[in-house]
């Protein structure tokens, strides 16, 4: 009941946004085909002109039967908007992420924890609708398979390239 009351209160104050990303891919090679999809709904709350809080939940699947890989993601973040131009805002999302990958062919799960910053741009199409893109990542991640004797892979880096761009659509209440 408390969560419902908080959601209604936030929505009435016109500072909530919802949106996210979806994707679908189909690959065919030498008579074999595989498909993948991902859905990442997002919920956020604007605190003031420059700050906001949000969370992304993600689910994805790749492959089929014995080669199926399932991915679950949770990513809470704080958003700082550092530049505003008419209908365009530039921001940084700083937060934590957790990803669980369940691979049937590998026979185990892999957990990844990370902390970092993602730059982004929001194009306000009108008062209620925004087109949002994230590109790149600066931060740290630790990934470890979930079996006895597994060792973690730790990564620190800065990555901005064409393969690390996401696009989404937000509805602002």
């Amino acid at each position: 009941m408390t969560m419902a009351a908080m959601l209604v209160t936030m929505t009435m104050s016109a500072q909530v946004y919802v949106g996210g990303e979806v994707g679908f891919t189909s690959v065919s090679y030498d008579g074999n085909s595989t498909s993948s999809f991902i859905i990442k709904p997002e919920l956020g709350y604007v605190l003031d002109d420059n700050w906001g809080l949000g969370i992304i939940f993600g689910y994805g699947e790749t492959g089929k039967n014995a080669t199926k890989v399932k991915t679950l993601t949770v990513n809470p973040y704080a958003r700082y908007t550092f530049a505003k131009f008419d209908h365009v805002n530039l921001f940084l999302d700083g937060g934590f992420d957790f990803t669980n990958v369940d691979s049937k062919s590998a026979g185990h799960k892999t957990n990844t924890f990370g902390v970092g910053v993602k730059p982004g741009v929001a194009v306000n199409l009108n008062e209620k609708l925004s087109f949002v893109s994230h590109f790149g990542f600066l931060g740290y991640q630790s990934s470890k398979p979930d079996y006895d004797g597994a060792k973690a892979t730790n990564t620190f880096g800065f990555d901005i390239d064409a393969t690390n761009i996401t696009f989404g659509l937000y509805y602002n209440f």
Side-chain angles (χ1 to χ4, degrees), residues 13-163:
S13 66
Q15 297 182 45
V16 174
Y17 59 89
V18 295
E21 304 164 5
V22 294
F24 177 80
T25 306
S26 181
V27 177
S28 179
Y29 175 75
D30 198 25
N32 295 317
S33 66
T34 186
S35 298
S36 64
F37 77 90
I38 190 161
I39 182 167
K40 290 184 173 183
E42 184 171 346
L43 175 66
Y45 182 74
V46 178
L47 299 172
D48 63 26
D49 283 345
N50 295 77
W51 287 97
L53 299 173
I55 189 163
I56 300 169
F57 298 98
Y59 178 79
E61 282 188 14
T62 301
K64 54 186 170 185
N65 301 328
T67 62
K68 185 177 279 190
V69 176
K70 295 180 182 179
T71 305
L72 294 171
T73 303
V74 178
N75 176 221
Y77 63 87
R79 175 169 294 168
Y80 176 67
T81 302
F82 61 89
K84 295 182 180 188
F85 311 97
D86 201 20
H87 296 289
V88 177
N89 298 336
L90 303 177
F91 62 85
L92 296 172
D93 282 354
F96 302 96
D97 66 302
F98 168 76
T99 302
N100 175 274
V101 178
D102 184 358
S103 173
K104 284 191 175 187
S105 62
H108 61 79
K109 297 178 181 182
T110 301
N111 295 314
T112 302
F113 297 91
V115 60
V117 177
K118 293 179 185 177
V121 60
V123 178
N124 302 313
L125 303 173
N126 59 41
E127 188 178 303
K128 296 289 185 188
L129 206 56
S130 300
F131 176 77
V132 177
S133 178
H134 290 91
F135 49 92
F137 177 77
L138 169 64
Y140 169 81
Q141 287 184 327
S142 180
S143 183
K144 184 177 179 183
D146 189 15
Y147 61 85
D148 289 338
K151 299 201 185 261
T153 301
N154 300 303
T155 307
F156 178 80
F158 176 67
D159 180 24
I160 292 183
D161 62 39
T163 63

